Amino acid sequence: MRTWQKARAGVLALALVASTAAAPASGTATDCCGPSSWTTGDKSALGTSPTTQSPVWFTVANGVTSEVFYPRVDVPETQDMQYVITDGFSFVDLERDATNHVVSMPDEKSLEYTVTNTAKGGRYRITTTYVTDPARATLVTRTRFQSLDGGTYRLHLLANPSMAGGAGGDTAAWDGSGLVASGTENLFGTTATVVSSLRASTGFSAHDNGYSGAASDCLVDLRADHTLDNGFDAVSGAGNIV
């Protein structure tokens, strides 16, 4: 999701399934593979649904989405997911590092969280509410982006999947309306393939699939000239993708 608007609210849905689907590709990133790391264990939120129809657990750390677990609580499918903010010419902020974080619960009897991230320099505020869909294996977040200083900013979403419990063997593709990641790992003697689908209620005005830390990485691309120049629909082989 990329926008010039000063204030915008949108809903993101990250759905996971245990099957794969083909996706078209018109541009392919070939600079595999990039480094692999993991997220912090210092969590500020942990959520899930009370229903068995939604075998998804999520955590928040440093103000952003960290792991999303599926179909068991010991199988992470995401390293982290967060926003990247730029004015298009002078700075590129990574939400986790550039903001001060406040976590609250609208109802302490429910595992719903609101995370308010305010830019350390006072430029903007990002407010995101987290909840799991009780009927599906889906994490749903609602985000409001506010300019606090009258400036106009571009908002990007950076997702770092780690499918089926591992980051090194994933693939990614654009399916025409959203981003799809998949991976296969051997977990405790059982081979598991998991697919995630990322959707935005506002739609995406641009997209990129690449390898973490490589030139195709959207964050690397943005930091180079404050503009998303890459538009890869897919990656050439399994690796640590973003």
Side-chain angles (χ1 to χ4, degrees):
M1 183 168 56
R2 184 177 69 181
T3 178
W4 279 103
Q5 282 89 333
K6 294 183 180 180
R8 187 75 174 265
V11 177
L12 290 167
L14 178 64
L16 298 111
V17 296
S19 62
T20 60
S26 60
T28 301
T30 59
D31 51 356
C32 185
C33 280
S36 178
S37 61
W38 205 248
T39 186
T40 178
D42 185 12
K43 310 302 182 186
S44 53
L46 168 65
T48 189
S49 169
T51 66
T52 58
Q53 289 83 8
S54 183
V56 170
W57 296 258
F58 68 89
T59 62
V60 174
N62 295 322
V64 302
T65 309
S66 50
E67 294 103 343
V68 178
F69 298 90
Y70 167 91
R72 303 193 312 263
V73 72
D74 60 343
V75 184
E77 306 298 342
T78 298
Q79 177 174 312
D80 53 46
M81 184 170 65
Q82 60 189 300
Y83 291 102
V84 181
I85 308 94
T86 180
D87 61 356
F89 61 90
S90 69
F91 76 91
V92 173
D93 280 355
L94 190 62
E95 181 182 13
R96 178 194 62 203
D97 300 333
T99 63
N100 295 314
H101 324 302
V102 176
V103 180
S104 61
M105 299 180 73
D107 182 351
E108 292 188 357
K109 296 180 180 179
S110 172
L111 294 179
E112 176 185 344
Y113 298 88
T114 297
V115 180
T116 303
N117 290 333
T118 304
K120 293 176 181 178
R123 291 185 174 111
Y124 55 82
R125 178 175 295 125
I126 303 172
T127 306
T128 301
T129 299
Y130 292 79
V131 67
T132 49
D133 185 336
R136 299 179 297 173
T138 304
L139 169 64
V140 181
T141 64
R142 180 177 178 85
T143 295
R144 183 186 185 197
F145 180 84
Q146 297 169 277
S147 171
L148 301 180
D149 64 356
T152 303
Y153 303 107
R154 293 176 178 177
L155 186 65
H156 303 77
L157 180 70
L158 174 63
N160 188 347
S162 293
M163 304 305 300
D170 297 340
T171 62
W174 171 254
D175 70 357
S177 59
L179 297 158
V180 177
S182 64
T184 300
E185 298 285 344
N186 190 289
L187 302 172
F188 309 109
T190 301
T191 300
T193 298
V194 180
V195 179
S196 70
S197 176
L198 182 61
R199 295 289 187 270
S201 64
T202 59
F204 294 97
S205 61
H207 66 270
D208 176 48
N209 289 295
Y211 294 103
S212 178
S216 59
D217 183 332
C218 45
L219 181 59
V220 173
D221 180 15
L222 285 167
R223 283 175 167 168
D225 62 0
H226 312 100
T227 300
L228 186 64
D229 300 306
N230 292 334
F232 295 118
D233 286 345
V235 294
S236 57
N240 184 20
I241 55 97
V242 291

